[in-house]
Amino acid sequence: MATSRASSAPGFLAAINGRYHRAALTGYLVVVIAHWAEHLVQAYQIWAMGMARPKARGVLGQYFPWLVTSEWLHYGYAILMLVGLFLLRPGFTGRAKFWWTVALAIQFWHHIEHLLLLIQVQAGTNFFGQAVPTSILQLVITRVELHLFYNSVVFIPMMIAMYFHLRPNRAEMQAMSCNCAPRYESRPAGSPATSPA
C-alpha cells in the first residue's frame, strides 16, 4: 500500500497526520467552530437583537470585553488557524487535499489582513487615512461582516475537505497515512468509502 509523505515525516508531524490525524482534526475543528460561533452570535446580536456594534461582542466578549478589542488575540487566532491548516495538510490526499489547500490559501490572506491591523495598533498609526485600524478589504466591507465572511469562506472548503477525507476513492485511500476513513478493500476504484447498510 502506498503512503503519503506524512508517514515519512519526523515525529510530531508524522503522528498528527498519521495515527493521531482524526484526534488532531477533531481538536482543531472544535476550536474553529467555537470561534466561528462567536462571529455568528455577534452577527445575531447586531442584526436580530438590534445591539449597537460596540456592544455586540459575542458570548465570551460579554464577560471579557478585551477579547473583542485585542488585535494580538485576533492575530494570534489567525496564526493558529494558519498553522493548523498547514500542519494537518499532509494527512489529506486527492480531492480532500485540494479543498484543504483552498482553505489554507484563504486563511493566509485572512492572516495578512489581521497582520495589517496589528501593525497599525502597535505603530499607533492608522493606514488608508482611516480613523481606526483598517485592513484592505475593510475599506469596502465593515469589520463585523468581513470577518464573518472570512471565517465562513475558510470553514466551507474545510468541511468539503473533511467530507472527501472521510469518503475517499480507492486511489485516495491507498495514499492515506491516517485511519480517518474506514477501509474497504472490495470497493471499486472511484467509489466513495461508505458504511455498509
Side-chain angles (χ1 to χ4, degrees):
M1 176 182 296
T3 58
S4 72
R5 286 182 294 156
S7 62
S8 61
F12 175 73
L13 191 58
I16 64 168
N17 286 288
R19 65 190 298 196
Y20 299 114
H21 198 231
R22 181 183 287 266
L25 282 172
T26 300
Y28 181 66
L29 286 173
V30 165
V31 172
V32 169
I33 290 169
H35 180 78
W36 196 45
E38 283 287 323
H39 280 280
L40 291 173
V41 168
Q42 184 183 35
Y44 179 82
Q45 290 169 335
I46 292 168
W47 299 318
M49 297 174 65
M51 279 186 171
R53 287 176 184 257
K55 298 288 185 187
R57 297 186 292 249
V59 176
L60 293 178
Q62 296 302 321
Y63 303 101
F64 308 102
W66 63 270
L67 291 174
V68 177
T69 58
S70 171
E71 288 302 340
W72 273 111
L73 184 72
H74 291 289
Y75 182 69
Y77 178 77
I79 286 287
L80 175 74
M81 278 285 298
L82 187 62
V83 168
L85 285 163
F86 179 77
L87 290 179
L88 294 169
R89 184 175 174 271
F92 289 89
T93 61
R95 298 165 300 166
K97 190 168 208 162
F98 170 81
W99 285 104
W100 196 260
T101 303
V102 168
L104 174 62
I106 296 167
Q107 182 57 30
F108 179 77
W109 175 252
H110 186 191
H111 142 269
I112 295 296
E113 292 268 89
H114 276 293
L115 179 60
L116 287 172
L117 293 168
L118 180 64
I119 289 169
Q120 290 170 75
V121 168
Q122 295 305 303
T125 303
N126 300 329
F127 296 167
F128 316 114
Q130 300 296 307
V132 296
T134 305
S135 66
I136 294 170
L137 287 183
Q138 201 176 326
L139 292 169
V140 293
I141 305 172
T142 59
R143 184 165 177 157
V144 171
E145 288 81 1
L146 177 60
H147 291 281
L148 180 61
F149 169 76
Y150 272 138
N151 284 284
S152 299
V153 297
V154 170
F155 185 72
I156 290 168
M158 283 176 62
M159 291 301 96
I160 295 170
M162 291 297 299
Y163 176 84
F164 286 127
H165 187 61
L166 297 175
R167 292 160 183 80
N169 61 34
R170 182 179 297 237
E172 292 164 344
M173 176 70 76
Q174 289 176 341
M176 289 176 76
S177 59
C178 65
N179 60 357
C180 292
R183 298 184 184 268
Y184 298 108
E185 297 303 326
S186 61
R187 191 173 57 253
S191 67
T194 56
S195 300

